[in-house]
Amino acid sequence: MSDNTLIVDGLTVSFAGTSVVRDLSFTLAPGRCVALVGESGSGKSVSARSLVGLAGARADVAARQLSFGGHDLLDQSERQWRAVRGKQIGFVLQDALVSLDPLRPVGKEILEVLQTHRYGDRQQRAARVLELLERVGVPDVALRARQRPGQLSGGLRQRALIASALALDPALVIADEPTTALDATVQAQILEVFQQIKARGAALLIISHDLAVVAQLADEVVVLRHGEVVEQGPMQQVLRQPQHAYTQALLAAVPAEHPRGTRLSPQRAGQARPIAVRAHGDVLLEGRGLGKRYAGPDGRVREVLHGVDFSLRAGRTLGIVGESGSGKTTLARIALGLLAPDDG
Ligand SMILES: Nc1ncnc2c1ncn2[C@@H]1O[C@H](COP(=O)(O)OP(=O)(O)OP(=O)(O)O)[C@@H](O)[C@H]1O
Ligand SMILES: [Mg+2]
């Protein structure tokens, strides 16, 4: 009965005697999805990391029970954890992007997961890497697999991480803000991938500020605040008829019809006071005919920015939007002088 069920009973996590998660309990059965929601700093990521033994050496993790598939996850040695992580429990941690090895092509990153757990032979592993990247919507996979993280856009890196979490078809997938860096199209594709793994019988623990994501995937929602559960129940009930004032405030902060991308956090009505450094209307930052090209590992040069003009005036806000990989971050880095443009 307890097969591939995650049981979290009374999880408490402390750092230097101060608890940041207190008495968190939920059960996650195969084919189901639990969502952890709550404002920034409420303890979501600490909880997720504790479930894969990555809360950190200084963390004190205690629980009445913490088990997966009848297997006790408390007090495991690092060696025992390594057998579980990736294979039985796949995970995408928040900020994992920065932990990608900057010198290693992302395909190799995924390959390593397969090698560590002795997946197939060489050819099967190579094919599996491409198949996984394709599944999470990476275009031009043969090229992308050979590129290093620094050569990919944030959205592409995020997809590579998700691919590596799914590499071994784990029975439990933990994903902390997996779609935050993704545009609407790619997000829909990732949600579909998560739906599929649920349908295949995997359990999913998802952490998201994005209520649209929670509504589409979760069967049960756990609302955390300051490390404590304030409300917990079936998704429909928690999202449609929140009982607790905090949950109501969280939901009220989301404009109706446009839940995507909205940070789940009670609004604090405060007006930022503008700092008058220049007269309104003065152009402070300007770009003309900006262009940037990158050479791929295949030697082909790809143009990522072409003839971009913009000007930003004092007291104004300029929004730069576009799908994943369209050049937004490249433009921002050029504006900051972190990257030299090829034209303009
Ligand atoms: N290694 C650590 N040492 C000390 N305190 C920590 C450590 N890691 C996290 N905390 C604290 O635990 C609390 C919960 O943090 P956590 O990262 O779980 O929040 P979160 O709900 O994931 O927030 P966000 O939505 O911003 O990701 C915070 O007060 C944080 O500062
Ligand atoms: Mg977090």
Side-chain angles (χ1 to χ4, degrees):
M1 171 59 210
S2 64
D3 235 28
N4 288 341
T5 291
L6 172 71
I7 298 174
V8 178
D9 184 16
L11 176 69
T12 295
V13 187
S14 316
F15 292 100
T18 307
S19 60
V20 295
V21 176
R22 282 177 297 282
D23 205 18
L24 170 66
S25 302
F26 64 89
T27 299
L28 177 51
R32 308 278 293 172
C33 173
V34 168
L36 286 183
V37 304
E39 65 185 358
S40 190
S42 55
K44 307 179 297 293
S45 296
V46 168
S47 303
R49 291 203 302 269
S50 302
L51 299 179
V52 285
L54 293 173
R58 306 234 295 265
D60 184 7
V61 179
R64 287 184 291 275
Q65 186 180 348
L66 191 61
S67 67
F68 179 62
H71 179 90
D72 187 9
L73 296 177
L74 279 172
D75 306 316
Q76 288 209 112
S77 68
E78 189 48 35
R79 193 159 164 264
Q80 288 170 312
W81 270 121
R82 277 202 294 271
V84 172
R85 275 189 223 127
K87 188 166 173 68
Q88 294 170 42
I89 308 181
F91 55 93
V92 184
L93 296 181
Q94 192 177 22
D95 304 327
L97 288 175
V98 296
S99 67
L100 279 171
D101 182 342
L103 297 179
R104 187 162 51 178
V106 291
K108 282 251 167 64
E109 192 87 29
I110 302 171
L111 198 59
E112 197 182 84
V113 179
L114 299 172
Q115 278 164 342
T116 306
H117 295 280
R118 305 206 161 76
Y119 178 97
D121 59 22
R122 244 185 104 198
Q123 272 186 343
Q124 286 167 323
R125 286 194 292 268
R128 177 75 174 160
V129 168
L130 300 183
E131 175 202 321
L132 284 161
L133 286 172
E134 226 152 54
R135 209 165 126 200
V136 295
V138 170
D140 217 350
V141 286
L143 165 78
R144 296 310 189 177
R146 290 165 59 197
Q147 290 187 308
R148 298 190 296 273
Q151 298 168 321
L152 299 177
S153 74
L156 281 169
R157 284 196 299 261
Q158 184 66 12
R159 278 174 272 175
L161 279 172
I162 295 171
S164 114
L166 303 179
L168 294 155
D169 289 323
L172 168 62
V173 175
I174 297 176
D176 192 349
E177 298 287 358
T179 58
T180 308
L182 306 176
D183 66 66
T185 318
V186 179
Q187 184 189 49
Q189 193 164 358
I190 295 295
L191 289 183
E192 167 114 28
V193 171
F194 282 144
Q195 296 281 16
Q196 283 165 10
I197 60 173
K198 254 182 85 179
R200 277 210 327 267
L204 186 60
L205 177 66
I206 191 130
I207 294 171
S208 184
H209 281 101
D210 190 335
L211 280 186
V213 170
V214 173
Q216 276 183 64
L217 289 174
D219 299 294
E220 187 183 336
V221 178
V222 180
V223 184
L224 283 177
R225 186 191 198 188
H226 303 321
E228 278 173 2
V229 176
V230 292
E231 186 159 355
Q232 177 164 9
M235 185 272 288
Q236 290 285 345
Q237 185 187 311
V238 175
L239 294 192
R240 309 254 179 274
Q241 297 145 350
Q243 299 304 305
H244 195 280
Y246 175 70
T247 315
Q248 289 165 4
L250 269 185
L251 296 175
V254 178
E257 311 297 327
H258 296 288
R260 177 167 201 277
T262 309
R263 298 288 286 183
L264 253 182
S265 167
Q267 292 294 342
R268 288 170 193 89
Q271 326 85 313
R273 224 179 301 143
I275 306 163
V277 284
R278 298 282 161 88
H280 271 235
D282 282 1
V283 173
L284 293 183
L285 185 66
E286 188 166 26
R288 288 284 164 259
L290 295 173
K292 184 71 196 170
R293 290 176 284 278
Y294 290 112
D298 54 359
R300 239 184 77 202
V301 173
R302 289 167 180 80
E303 190 167 45
V304 295
L305 283 182
H306 177 83
V308 176
D309 300 330
F310 74 90
S311 59
L312 176 56
R313 293 169 183 278
R316 309 283 292 175
T317 302
L318 173 65
I320 298 171
V321 300
E323 64 173 16
S324 176
S326 57
K328 305 178 294 295
T329 301
T330 301
L331 182 60
R333 296 182 65 200
I334 288 173
L336 287 167
L338 293 172
L339 195 67
D342 293 317
D343 303 312

